[in-house]
Amino acid sequence: MLKLLTSEISAIIYALIFWVFLTLITGLWSIALALTMTGYVVWLYYRIYRLNQWLDNGTKTSQVYDDQGIFNQIIRHIYQQKKVYNKRKKRTKEILRRLNTNISALPDATVLLNDQMEIEWSNKPAHYLLGINARLDLGMHIGNLIRHPKFLRYLMAPENNQHLEIDSPVDRQTTIQIKIVEFGKNQRLLTARNITDQKQIQEGLKSFIANASHELKTPLTVISGYLEMLQFDEQLGKHQQTSVKAALQQSERMKNLIEDLLLLSQVESYQLQPSEGETQPICELTANSLGALGKSCNDSLLDCSCDDTLALNGVRAEIEGILINLVDNAFKYSPEDSPVTIRWTLNDREELIFECIDQGRGIAEKDLEKITDRYYRSPDVRGEQIKGSGLGLAIVKQASAKHGARLEIHSEPGEGSSFTITFPSYRTIHLQSSSDNVVPIKSA
Ligand code: ADP
Protein backbone atom coordinates (compact mmCIF):
# COMPACT_ATOMS: atom_id res chain seq x y z
CA MET A 1 0.00 0.00 0.00
CA LEU A 2 2.82 2.35 1.02
CA LYS A 3 4.60 1.49 -2.20
CA LEU A 4 1.50 2.39 -4.21
CA LEU A 5 1.13 5.73 -2.39
CA THR A 6 4.85 6.46 -2.78
CA SER A 7 4.50 6.13 -6.51
CA GLU A 8 1.47 8.47 -6.62
CA ILE A 9 3.12 10.98 -4.19
CA SER A 10 6.31 11.03 -6.24
CA ALA A 11 4.22 11.92 -9.30
CA ILE A 12 2.74 14.85 -7.36
CA ILE A 13 6.24 15.90 -6.17
CA TYR A 14 7.46 15.84 -9.80
CA ALA A 15 4.51 18.04 -10.71
CA LEU A 16 5.38 20.48 -7.90
CA ILE A 17 9.04 20.60 -9.02
CA PHE A 18 7.85 21.22 -12.55
CA TRP A 19 5.60 24.07 -11.30
CA VAL A 20 8.46 25.72 -9.34
CA PHE A 21 10.71 25.38 -12.38
CA LEU A 22 8.10 26.93 -14.66
CA THR A 23 7.46 29.78 -12.18
CA LEU A 24 11.19 30.56 -12.10
CA ILE A 25 11.37 30.68 -15.89
CA THR A 26 8.14 32.62 -16.51
CA GLY A 27 7.91 34.55 -13.22
CA LEU A 28 4.12 33.90 -13.32
CA TRP A 29 3.29 31.34 -10.62
CA SER A 30 -0.45 31.20 -11.34
CA ILE A 31 -0.06 30.45 -15.04
CA ALA A 32 2.67 27.92 -14.20
CA LEU A 33 0.27 26.23 -11.70
CA ALA A 34 -2.55 26.16 -14.23
CA LEU A 35 -0.24 24.59 -16.84
CA THR A 36 1.13 22.04 -14.36
CA MET A 37 -2.38 21.09 -13.15
CA THR A 38 -3.63 20.74 -16.73
CA GLY A 39 -0.68 18.48 -17.57
CA TYR A 40 -1.30 16.35 -14.48
CA VAL A 41 -5.03 15.99 -15.25
CA VAL A 42 -4.31 15.11 -18.91
CA TRP A 43 -1.79 12.47 -17.79
CA LEU A 44 -4.35 11.02 -15.34
CA TYR A 45 -7.07 11.07 -18.02
CA TYR A 46 -4.75 9.29 -20.47
CA ARG A 47 -4.15 6.49 -17.94
CA ILE A 48 -7.92 6.09 -17.34
CA TYR A 49 -8.51 6.09 -21.09
CA ARG A 50 -5.91 3.32 -21.65
CA LEU A 51 -7.41 1.23 -18.86
CA ASN A 52 -10.88 1.68 -20.33
CA GLN A 53 -9.61 0.66 -23.78
CA TRP A 54 -8.12 -2.50 -22.36
CA LEU A 55 -11.36 -3.33 -20.48
CA ASP A 56 -13.38 -2.64 -23.65
CA ASN A 57 -11.21 -5.06 -25.61
CA GLY A 58 -12.12 -7.87 -23.20
CA THR A 59 -9.03 -7.55 -20.92
CA LYS A 60 -7.04 -9.76 -23.29
CA THR A 61 -3.98 -11.14 -21.50
CA SER A 62 -1.93 -10.59 -24.66
CA GLN A 63 -2.68 -6.83 -24.52
CA VAL A 64 -1.84 -6.31 -20.87
CA TYR A 65 0.45 -3.28 -20.20
CA ASP A 66 2.36 -1.74 -17.32
CA ASP A 67 1.35 1.43 -15.52
CA GLN A 68 2.27 3.03 -12.22
CA GLY A 69 0.97 2.95 -8.68
CA ILE A 70 -2.73 2.27 -8.11
CA PHE A 71 -3.45 1.87 -11.84
CA ASN A 72 -0.81 -0.82 -12.16
CA GLN A 73 -2.28 -2.60 -9.16
CA ILE A 74 -5.79 -2.55 -10.70
CA ILE A 75 -4.41 -3.88 -14.01
CA ARG A 76 -2.52 -6.73 -12.23
CA HIS A 77 -5.64 -7.70 -10.32
CA ILE A 78 -7.77 -7.90 -13.43
CA TYR A 79 -4.97 -9.71 -15.28
CA GLN A 80 -4.64 -12.39 -12.56
CA GLN A 81 -8.41 -13.00 -12.43
CA LYS A 82 -8.57 -13.20 -16.19
CA LYS A 83 -5.81 -15.80 -16.20
CA VAL A 84 -7.66 -17.95 -13.62
CA TYR A 85 -10.90 -17.54 -15.59
CA ASN A 86 -9.19 -18.53 -18.85
CA LYS A 87 -7.74 -21.63 -17.21
CA ARG A 88 -11.15 -22.69 -15.86
CA LYS A 89 -12.83 -22.02 -19.18
CA LYS A 90 -10.27 -24.17 -20.95
CA ARG A 91 -10.78 -27.01 -18.47
CA THR A 92 -14.61 -26.84 -18.70
CA LYS A 93 -14.37 -26.75 -22.50
CA GLU A 94 -12.19 -29.84 -22.45
CA ILE A 95 -14.58 -31.69 -20.09
CA LEU A 96 -17.52 -30.74 -22.32
CA ARG A 97 -15.67 -31.85 -25.42
CA ARG A 98 -14.82 -35.21 -23.84
CA LEU A 99 -18.42 -35.63 -22.58
CA ASN A 100 -19.75 -34.85 -26.03
CA THR A 101 -17.38 -37.36 -27.64
CA ASN A 102 -18.30 -40.03 -25.09
CA ILE A 103 -22.07 -39.52 -25.40
CA SER A 104 -21.80 -39.45 -29.17
CA ALA A 105 -19.91 -42.74 -29.06
CA LEU A 106 -22.64 -44.42 -26.97
CA PRO A 107 -24.32 -47.21 -28.92
CA ASP A 108 -27.69 -46.09 -27.51
CA ALA A 109 -29.59 -43.23 -29.07
CA THR A 110 -29.53 -40.30 -26.66
CA VAL A 111 -31.72 -37.21 -26.99
CA LEU A 112 -31.82 -34.24 -24.65
CA LEU A 113 -35.29 -32.68 -24.38
CA ASN A 114 -36.51 -29.51 -22.72
CA ASP A 115 -39.62 -29.31 -20.52
CA GLN A 116 -41.75 -28.86 -23.68
CA MET A 117 -40.36 -32.14 -25.04
CA GLU A 118 -38.44 -30.28 -27.76
CA ILE A 119 -35.09 -31.58 -28.95
CA GLU A 120 -32.06 -29.73 -27.58
CA TRP A 121 -29.34 -32.19 -28.54
CA SER A 122 -29.04 -35.69 -29.99
CA ASN A 123 -26.21 -38.09 -30.81
CA LYS A 124 -25.46 -40.14 -33.93
CA PRO A 125 -27.32 -43.36 -33.03
CA ALA A 126 -30.45 -41.20 -32.56
CA HIS A 127 -30.19 -40.59 -36.30
CA TYR A 128 -30.24 -44.19 -37.47
CA LEU A 129 -32.46 -45.55 -34.65
CA LEU A 130 -35.01 -42.72 -34.32
CA GLY A 131 -34.50 -40.76 -37.53
CA ILE A 132 -33.51 -37.58 -35.66
CA ASN A 133 -31.20 -35.18 -37.47
CA ALA A 134 -29.00 -33.50 -34.84
CA ARG A 135 -28.95 -30.17 -36.70
CA LEU A 136 -32.19 -29.97 -38.68
CA ASP A 137 -34.50 -31.32 -35.98
CA LEU A 138 -33.21 -29.04 -33.25
CA GLY A 139 -36.16 -27.47 -31.40
CA MET A 140 -38.68 -29.92 -32.92
CA HIS A 141 -41.23 -31.62 -30.66
CA ILE A 142 -40.17 -35.26 -30.25
CA GLY A 143 -43.81 -36.37 -30.81
CA ASN A 144 -43.64 -34.95 -34.35
CA LEU A 145 -40.76 -37.28 -35.20
CA ILE A 146 -41.80 -40.45 -33.35
CA ARG A 147 -45.50 -40.66 -34.07
CA HIS A 148 -46.19 -44.16 -32.72
CA PRO A 149 -49.47 -43.97 -30.68
CA LYS A 150 -47.86 -45.92 -27.82
CA PHE A 151 -45.00 -43.42 -27.71
CA LEU A 152 -47.38 -40.43 -27.73
CA ARG A 153 -49.24 -41.97 -24.77
CA TYR A 154 -45.91 -42.64 -23.03
CA LEU A 155 -44.89 -39.00 -23.54
CA MET A 156 -47.87 -37.81 -21.50
CA ALA A 157 -46.58 -39.52 -18.34
CA PRO A 158 -43.15 -41.10 -18.92
CA GLU A 159 -42.56 -41.34 -15.17
CA ASN A 160 -45.41 -43.89 -14.85
CA ASN A 161 -43.78 -46.35 -17.21
CA GLN A 162 -40.36 -47.78 -16.76
CA HIS A 163 -39.71 -48.19 -20.47
CA LEU A 164 -41.50 -48.66 -23.72
CA GLU A 165 -40.97 -51.11 -26.57
CA ILE A 166 -41.94 -50.03 -30.07
CA ASP A 167 -40.87 -50.49 -33.69
CA SER A 168 -38.18 -48.06 -34.78
CA PRO A 169 -39.66 -45.17 -36.82
CA VAL A 170 -36.79 -45.70 -39.29
CA ASP A 171 -37.13 -49.46 -39.80
CA ARG A 172 -40.19 -51.41 -38.69
CA GLN A 173 -38.15 -54.63 -38.48
CA THR A 174 -36.15 -53.10 -35.64
CA THR A 175 -37.56 -53.15 -32.12
CA ILE A 176 -36.38 -50.40 -29.80
CA GLN A 177 -36.69 -49.90 -26.08
CA ILE A 178 -37.22 -46.28 -25.06
CA LYS A 179 -36.79 -44.73 -21.65
CA ILE A 180 -37.26 -41.09 -20.62
CA VAL A 181 -35.85 -39.84 -17.32
CA GLU A 182 -35.66 -36.46 -15.57
CA PHE A 183 -32.37 -34.77 -16.32
CA GLY A 184 -31.00 -31.58 -14.76
CA LYS A 185 -33.37 -28.67 -14.30
CA ASN A 186 -36.55 -28.99 -16.40
CA GLN A 187 -34.88 -31.31 -18.88
CA ARG A 188 -35.42 -34.92 -19.87
CA LEU A 189 -33.08 -37.48 -21.28
CA LEU A 190 -34.46 -39.95 -23.80
CA THR A 191 -32.47 -43.10 -24.46
CA ALA A 192 -33.35 -45.77 -27.01
CA ARG A 193 -31.76 -49.19 -27.47
CA ASN A 194 -31.98 -51.66 -30.29
CA ILE A 195 -33.41 -54.84 -28.72
CA THR A 196 -34.28 -56.68 -31.93
CA ASP A 197 -31.85 -59.55 -31.20
CA GLN A 198 -33.05 -59.91 -27.64
CA LYS A 199 -36.64 -59.87 -28.81
CA GLN A 200 -35.96 -62.53 -31.43
CA ILE A 201 -34.27 -64.78 -28.87
CA GLN A 202 -37.22 -64.26 -26.51
CA GLU A 203 -39.71 -65.02 -29.28
CA GLY A 204 -37.72 -68.13 -30.22
CA LEU A 205 -37.70 -69.26 -26.62
CA LYS A 206 -41.42 -68.63 -26.26
CA SER A 207 -42.26 -70.57 -29.39
CA PHE A 208 -39.93 -73.39 -28.32
CA ILE A 209 -41.73 -73.59 -24.94
CA ALA A 210 -45.12 -73.47 -26.66
CA ASN A 211 -44.16 -76.24 -29.12
CA ALA A 212 -42.47 -78.40 -26.49
CA SER A 213 -45.49 -78.06 -24.17
CA HIS A 214 -47.81 -78.95 -27.00
CA GLU A 215 -45.74 -82.02 -27.90
CA LEU A 216 -45.56 -83.14 -24.27
CA LYS A 217 -49.28 -82.80 -23.64
CA THR A 218 -50.46 -85.87 -25.59
CA PRO A 219 -47.98 -88.45 -24.23
CA LEU A 220 -48.55 -87.11 -20.73
CA THR A 221 -52.32 -87.48 -21.07
CA VAL A 222 -51.80 -91.10 -22.16
CA ILE A 223 -49.44 -91.78 -19.23
CA SER A 224 -51.90 -90.19 -16.76
CA GLY A 225 -54.72 -92.26 -18.27
CA TYR A 226 -52.83 -95.53 -17.72
CA LEU A 227 -51.81 -94.48 -14.22
CA GLU A 228 -55.43 -93.63 -13.37
CA MET A 229 -56.50 -97.08 -14.51
CA LEU A 230 -53.62 -98.75 -12.70
CA GLN A 231 -54.38 -97.15 -9.34
CA PHE A 232 -57.58 -99.18 -9.11
CA ASP A 233 -55.92 -102.47 -10.13
CA GLU A 234 -56.51 -104.85 -7.25
CA GLN A 235 -53.66 -107.12 -8.33
CA LEU A 236 -51.15 -104.48 -7.30
CA GLY A 237 -49.58 -104.70 -3.89
CA LYS A 238 -49.88 -101.84 -1.36
CA HIS A 239 -46.36 -100.63 -2.05
CA GLN A 240 -46.93 -100.58 -5.82
CA GLN A 241 -50.24 -98.74 -5.37
CA THR A 242 -48.47 -96.00 -3.38
CA SER A 243 -45.91 -95.66 -6.16
CA VAL A 244 -48.63 -95.40 -8.83
CA LYS A 245 -50.41 -92.71 -6.77
CA ALA A 246 -47.19 -90.72 -6.41
CA ALA A 247 -46.54 -91.03 -10.17
CA LEU A 248 -50.11 -89.92 -10.87
CA GLN A 249 -49.69 -86.86 -8.64
CA GLN A 250 -46.48 -85.89 -10.41
CA SER A 251 -48.04 -86.37 -13.85
CA GLU A 252 -50.97 -84.17 -12.72
CA ARG A 253 -48.46 -81.49 -11.70
CA MET A 254 -46.76 -81.74 -15.07
CA LYS A 255 -50.11 -81.55 -16.83
CA ASN A 256 -50.98 -78.37 -14.91
CA LEU A 257 -47.60 -76.86 -15.71
CA ILE A 258 -47.99 -77.66 -19.41
CA GLU A 259 -51.51 -76.24 -19.43
CA ASP A 260 -50.24 -73.04 -17.78
CA LEU A 261 -47.42 -72.77 -20.34
CA LEU A 262 -49.82 -73.30 -23.22
CA LEU A 263 -52.28 -70.74 -21.87
CA LEU A 264 -49.47 -68.24 -21.32
CA SER A 265 -48.20 -68.67 -24.87
CA GLN A 266 -51.77 -68.30 -26.13
CA VAL A 267 -52.35 -65.01 -24.27
CA GLU A 268 -49.01 -63.68 -25.42
CA SER A 269 -49.50 -64.72 -29.03
CA TYR A 270 -51.34 -61.64 -30.35
CA GLN A 271 -53.14 -58.46 -29.27
CA LEU A 272 -56.92 -58.67 -29.08
CA GLN A 273 -58.71 -55.93 -31.00
CA PRO A 274 -61.37 -54.03 -29.00
CA SER A 275 -64.20 -55.58 -31.04
CA GLU A 276 -62.72 -59.10 -30.92
CA GLY A 277 -64.07 -61.78 -28.59
CA GLU A 278 -67.31 -63.51 -27.73
CA THR A 279 -70.08 -62.76 -25.28
CA GLN A 280 -69.14 -64.32 -21.95
CA PRO A 281 -71.79 -63.95 -19.24
CA ILE A 282 -69.83 -63.17 -16.09
CA CYS A 283 -71.81 -65.44 -13.74
CA GLU A 284 -71.23 -68.35 -16.09
CA LEU A 285 -67.51 -67.57 -16.28
CA THR A 286 -67.35 -67.49 -12.48
CA ALA A 287 -69.26 -70.72 -12.04
CA ASN A 288 -67.09 -72.54 -14.60
CA SER A 289 -63.85 -71.27 -13.07
CA LEU A 290 -64.90 -72.26 -9.57
CA GLY A 291 -66.01 -75.65 -10.92
CA ALA A 292 -62.52 -76.22 -12.36
CA LEU A 293 -61.14 -75.67 -8.87
CA GLY A 294 -63.68 -78.05 -7.32
CA LYS A 295 -65.46 -75.15 -5.64
CA SER A 296 -68.79 -73.36 -5.91
CA CYS A 297 -70.38 -70.19 -4.64
CA ASN A 298 -72.24 -72.29 -2.10
CA ASP A 299 -68.98 -72.98 -0.27
CA SER A 300 -69.12 -71.49 3.19
CA LEU A 301 -65.73 -69.80 2.82
CA LEU A 302 -66.62 -68.13 -0.47
CA ASP A 303 -68.50 -64.88 -0.72
CA CYS A 304 -69.48 -64.41 -4.40
CA SER A 305 -71.44 -61.73 -6.12
CA CYS A 306 -72.16 -61.14 -9.79
CA ASP A 307 -74.90 -59.69 -11.93
CA ASP A 308 -76.41 -62.19 -14.38
CA THR A 309 -77.48 -59.44 -16.77
CA LEU A 310 -73.86 -58.58 -17.51
CA ALA A 311 -71.36 -60.19 -19.86
CA LEU A 312 -67.84 -59.55 -21.10
CA ASN A 313 -66.69 -59.52 -24.69
CA GLY A 314 -63.55 -61.65 -24.59
CA VAL A 315 -61.85 -65.02 -24.92
CA ARG A 316 -63.40 -67.53 -22.53
CA ALA A 317 -60.35 -69.68 -21.76
CA GLU A 318 -58.28 -66.60 -21.05
CA ILE A 319 -60.76 -64.86 -18.74
CA GLU A 320 -61.33 -68.15 -16.94
CA GLY A 321 -57.55 -68.45 -16.68
CA ILE A 322 -57.55 -65.13 -14.80
CA LEU A 323 -60.32 -66.17 -12.44
CA ILE A 324 -58.98 -69.68 -11.77
CA ASN A 325 -55.47 -68.44 -10.95
CA LEU A 326 -56.63 -65.63 -8.67
CA VAL A 327 -59.12 -67.74 -6.73
CA ASP A 328 -56.67 -70.66 -6.51
CA ASN A 329 -53.98 -68.35 -5.09
CA ALA A 330 -56.42 -66.72 -2.66
CA PHE A 331 -57.09 -70.12 -1.07
CA LYS A 332 -53.55 -71.45 -1.48
CA TYR A 333 -51.93 -68.52 0.34
CA SER A 334 -54.51 -68.28 3.16
CA PRO A 335 -55.08 -70.38 6.28
CA GLU A 336 -57.52 -73.26 5.78
CA ASP A 337 -60.55 -71.59 7.37
CA SER A 338 -59.93 -68.14 5.92
CA PRO A 339 -62.74 -66.63 3.78
CA VAL A 340 -62.33 -65.38 0.21
CA THR A 341 -64.49 -62.78 -1.51
CA ILE A 342 -64.97 -62.63 -5.27
CA ARG A 343 -67.18 -60.01 -6.81
CA TRP A 344 -68.06 -58.41 -10.12
CA THR A 345 -69.18 -54.79 -10.18
CA LEU A 346 -69.94 -52.20 -12.85
CA ASN A 347 -68.66 -48.68 -12.20
CA ASP A 348 -70.20 -45.45 -13.49
CA ARG A 349 -67.83 -45.49 -16.47
CA GLU A 350 -69.41 -48.79 -17.55
CA GLU A 351 -66.22 -50.70 -16.71
CA LEU A 352 -66.64 -54.24 -15.41
CA ILE A 353 -64.47 -54.88 -12.37
CA PHE A 354 -63.49 -58.28 -10.98
CA GLU A 355 -62.10 -58.42 -7.45
CA CYS A 356 -60.62 -61.33 -5.54
CA ILE A 357 -59.95 -60.55 -1.88
CA ASP A 358 -58.40 -62.81 0.73
CA GLN A 359 -57.31 -62.47 4.32
CA GLY A 360 -54.25 -64.65 3.94
CA ARG A 361 -50.51 -64.23 4.37
CA GLY A 362 -50.26 -61.12 2.14
CA ILE A 363 -47.32 -60.17 -0.04
CA ALA A 364 -44.12 -58.41 1.04
CA GLU A 365 -43.63 -54.99 -0.58
CA LYS A 366 -40.35 -56.05 -2.19
CA ASP A 367 -42.16 -58.94 -3.94
CA LEU A 368 -45.13 -56.91 -5.18
CA GLU A 369 -43.52 -55.68 -8.39
CA LYS A 370 -42.07 -59.09 -9.27
CA ILE A 371 -44.93 -61.49 -8.61
CA THR A 372 -46.43 -61.00 -12.06
CA ASP A 373 -43.12 -61.98 -13.72
CA ARG A 374 -43.15 -65.47 -15.18
CA TYR A 375 -41.66 -68.14 -12.87
CA TYR A 376 -41.35 -65.71 -9.94
CA ARG A 377 -42.34 -67.15 -6.57
CA SER A 378 -41.68 -65.34 -3.30
CA PRO A 379 -38.83 -66.97 -1.30
CA ASP A 380 -41.01 -67.86 1.73
CA VAL A 381 -43.49 -69.69 -0.51
CA ARG A 382 -40.63 -71.70 -2.00
CA GLY A 383 -39.26 -72.35 1.49
CA GLU A 384 -42.59 -73.70 2.72
CA GLN A 385 -42.85 -75.88 -0.38
CA ILE A 386 -46.30 -74.61 -1.35
CA LYS A 387 -46.92 -76.07 -4.80
CA GLY A 388 -46.94 -73.78 -7.80
CA SER A 389 -45.21 -72.94 -11.04
CA GLY A 390 -44.89 -69.16 -10.74
CA LEU A 391 -46.90 -68.80 -13.96
CA GLY A 392 -50.37 -68.02 -12.54
CA LEU A 393 -50.01 -64.27 -12.11
CA ALA A 394 -48.05 -63.98 -15.38
CA ILE A 395 -51.13 -65.45 -17.10
CA VAL A 396 -53.39 -63.05 -15.15
CA LYS A 397 -51.26 -60.06 -16.17
CA GLN A 398 -50.94 -61.00 -19.85
CA ALA A 399 -54.57 -62.05 -20.27
CA SER A 400 -55.73 -58.80 -18.60
CA ALA A 401 -53.47 -56.72 -20.85
CA LYS A 402 -54.68 -58.64 -23.90
CA HIS A 403 -58.26 -57.68 -23.03
CA GLY A 404 -57.20 -54.06 -22.44
CA ALA A 405 -57.80 -54.47 -18.68
CA ARG A 406 -55.91 -52.94 -15.74
CA LEU A 407 -54.55 -55.19 -13.00
CA GLU A 408 -54.08 -53.68 -9.52
CA ILE A 409 -52.68 -55.51 -6.54
CA HIS A 410 -52.91 -54.33 -2.94
CA SER A 411 -51.52 -56.32 -0.11
CA GLU A 412 -50.43 -56.04 3.51
CA PRO A 413 -48.20 -58.81 4.85
CA GLY A 414 -50.17 -60.79 7.42
CA GLU A 415 -53.45 -59.02 6.54
CA GLY A 416 -54.37 -60.31 3.08
CA SER A 417 -54.37 -59.34 -0.56
CA SER A 418 -56.78 -57.93 -3.09
CA PHE A 419 -56.46 -58.33 -6.85
CA THR A 420 -58.60 -56.00 -8.98
CA ILE A 421 -59.06 -56.25 -12.72
CA THR A 422 -60.82 -53.39 -14.47
CA PHE A 423 -62.00 -54.28 -17.98
CA PRO A 424 -62.47 -51.39 -20.42
CA SER A 425 -66.07 -50.23 -21.01
CA TYR A 426 -65.96 -51.44 -24.65
CA ARG A 427 -65.88 -55.02 -23.30
CA THR A 428 -69.06 -54.60 -21.20
CA ILE A 429 -72.22 -56.20 -22.59
CA HIS A 430 -75.69 -55.80 -21.08
CA LEU A 431 -77.72 -58.94 -21.62
CA GLN A 432 -81.38 -58.41 -22.36
CA SER A 433 -82.62 -60.59 -19.52
CA SER A 434 -81.22 -63.11 -17.12
CA SER A 435 -82.44 -65.90 -19.39
CA ASP A 436 -80.06 -64.75 -22.17
CA ASN A 437 -77.66 -67.60 -22.18
CA VAL A 438 -76.86 -67.26 -18.50
CA VAL A 439 -76.22 -70.09 -16.11
CA PRO A 440 -77.26 -68.86 -12.65
CA ILE A 441 -74.20 -68.82 -10.43
CA LYS A 442 -75.74 -70.83 -7.57
CA SER A 443 -76.42 -73.75 -9.86
CA ALA A 444 -72.72 -74.35 -10.58
P1 ADP B 1 -47.59 -69.71 -7.95
O1 ADP B 1 -48.83 -69.52 -7.14
O2 ADP B 1 -47.65 -70.89 -8.84
O3 ADP B 1 -46.36 -69.66 -7.12
P2 ADP B 1 -48.27 -67.20 -9.15
O4 ADP B 1 -47.71 -66.55 -10.38
O5 ADP B 1 -49.72 -67.48 -9.13
O6 ADP B 1 -47.42 -68.51 -8.96
O7 ADP B 1 -47.91 -66.30 -7.93
C1 ADP B 1 -46.59 -65.77 -7.80
C2 ADP B 1 -46.28 -65.50 -6.34
O8 ADP B 1 -47.11 -64.46 -5.85
C3 ADP B 1 -46.59 -66.67 -5.44
O9 ADP B 1 -45.51 -67.55 -5.38
C4 ADP B 1 -46.85 -65.99 -4.11
O10 ADP B 1 -45.63 -65.73 -3.47
C5 ADP B 1 -47.46 -64.67 -4.50
N1 ADP B 1 -48.95 -64.66 -4.41
C6 ADP B 1 -49.82 -64.77 -5.44
N2 ADP B 1 -51.09 -64.65 -4.99
C7 ADP B 1 -51.01 -64.46 -3.67
C8 ADP B 1 -51.98 -64.26 -2.63
N3 ADP B 1 -53.30 -64.23 -2.89
N4 ADP B 1 -51.54 -64.09 -1.36
C9 ADP B 1 -50.21 -64.08 -1.09
N5 ADP B 1 -49.25 -64.25 -2.02
C10 ADP B 1 -49.63 -64.44 -3.29
Side-chain angles (χ1 to χ4, degrees), residues 67-298:
D67 203 320
Q68 285 173 7
I70 275 246
F71 277 82
N72 204 40
Q73 182 70 3
I74 294 171
I75 293 165
R76 290 296 123 195
H77 261 311
I78 297 174
Y79 174 71
Q80 289 303 337
Q81 277 181 11
K82 182 74 188 211
K83 256 172 78 174
V84 173
Y85 169 77
N86 279 351
K87 234 187 204 167
R88 272 200 206 134
K89 195 170 149 191
K90 211 171 148 191
R91 210 170 340 133
T92 317
K93 245 183 163 172
E94 177 57 18
I95 293 172
L96 264 176
R97 192 191 59 76
R98 282 217 304 264
L99 197 75
N100 250 334
T101 323
N102 289 348
I103 298 180
S104 300
L106 281 178
D108 294 350
T110 313
V111 185
L112 197 62
L113 303 165
N114 63 14
D115 55 347
Q116 303 295 314
M117 293 289 180
E118 289 159 352
I119 298 169
E120 289 196 336
W121 180 90
S122 63
N123 66 354
K124 243 192 210 145
H127 180 57
Y128 53 80
L129 223 50
L130 303 172
I132 294 174
N133 186 309
R135 248 177 340 105
L136 301 180
D137 294 333
L138 215 66
M140 284 273 273
H141 192 278
I142 187 77
N144 290 340
L145 297 167
I146 308 173
R147 308 185 70 93
H148 200 293
K150 270 192 190 170
F151 179 74
L152 297 178
R153 269 201 303 277
Y154 177 64
L155 265 191
M156 302 220 199
E159 57 284 346
N160 291 350
N161 295 290
Q162 296 199 316
H163 46 66
L164 173 77
E165 280 177 24
I166 53 167
D167 297 339
S168 158
V170 179
D171 172 15
R172 296 195 61 187
Q173 305 298 320
T174 305
T175 309
I176 53 171
Q177 190 181 63
I178 294 184
K179 189 169 178 150
I180 298 181
V181 290
E182 298 270 346
F183 183 76
K185 213 175 166 201
N186 295 332
Q187 280 181 319
R188 310 233 169 161
L189 188 71
L190 179 152
T191 49
R193 266 190 325 138
N194 184 345
I195 55 158
T196 316
D197 291 347
Q198 249 169 285
K199 198 89 189 149
Q200 273 168 0
I201 293 170
Q202 259 178 27
E203 291 305 323
L205 200 65
K206 271 187 203 167
S207 84
F208 168 74
I209 291 174
N211 290 339
S213 311
H214 191 74
E215 291 304 319
L216 281 172
K217 199 178 169 184
T218 320
L220 201 63
T221 313
V222 176
I223 294 170
S224 303
Y226 280 124
L227 287 172
E228 265 166 33
M229 269 172 11
L230 260 179
Q231 70 175 329
F232 300 113
D233 191 337
E234 282 162 7
Q235 286 172 357
L236 291 182
K238 206 165 180 164
H239 181 66
Q240 286 152 326
Q241 264 181 357
T242 318
S243 307
V244 169
K245 255 192 194 140
L248 193 60
Q249 268 174 4
Q250 293 308 318
S251 70
E252 279 304 313
R253 266 186 81 184
M254 273 181 82
K255 245 168 74 181
N256 290 342
L257 178 62
I258 285 172
E259 264 155 24
D260 278 354
L261 282 169
L262 284 172
L263 186 56
L264 189 58
S265 61
Q266 180 188 326
V267 291
E268 282 177 338
S269 58
Y270 71 103
Q271 190 62 38
L272 204 65
Q273 294 305 312
S275 58
E276 241 180 304
E278 277 163 26
T279 304
Q280 315 291 350
I282 54 171
C283 294
E284 193 180 315
L285 281 174
T286 314
N288 284 349
S289 309
L290 292 178
L293 291 169
K295 297 190 184 303
S296 94
C297 271
N298 296 323

Side-chain angles (χ1 to χ4, degrees), residues 260 325-326 328-334 356 358 360-364 367 370-382 386-396 411 416-419:
D260 278 354
N325 278 300
L326 289 183
D328 189 32
N329 281 350
F331 281 104
K332 201 161 68 172
Y333 299 116
S334 301
C356 180
D358 67 59
R361 61 167 60 216
I363 303 160
D367 288 331
K370 297 186 219 146
I371 52 169
T372 53
D373 291 351
R374 46 170 70 202
Y375 310 117
Y376 184 82
R377 309 196 70 214
S378 64
D380 49 336
V381 164
R382 282 178 192 276
I386 301 176
K387 284 183 189 146
S389 60
L391 289 173
L393 290 184
I395 293 173
V396 172
S411 189
S417 314
S418 84
F419 291 78

Side-chain angles (χ1 to χ4, degrees), residues 263 266-268 270-280 285 311-323 344 351-352 395-407 421-429:
L263 186 56
Q266 180 188 326
V267 291
E268 282 177 338
Y270 71 103
Q271 190 62 38
L272 204 65
Q273 294 305 312
S275 58
E276 241 180 304
E278 277 163 26
T279 304
Q280 315 291 350
L285 281 174
L312 254 180
N313 183 28
V315 180
R316 171 170 291 253
E318 295 172 11
I319 304 175
E320 284 184 1
I322 297 177
L323 270 53
W344 284 95
E351 294 168 328
L352 257 171
I395 293 173
V396 172
K397 181 180 161 186
Q398 296 299 337
S400 304
K402 185 167 172 181
H403 284 79
R406 265 191 335 269
L407 164 68
I421 298 176
T422 310
F423 289 90
S425 55
Y426 59 76
R427 297 233 167 259
T428 305
I429 296 170

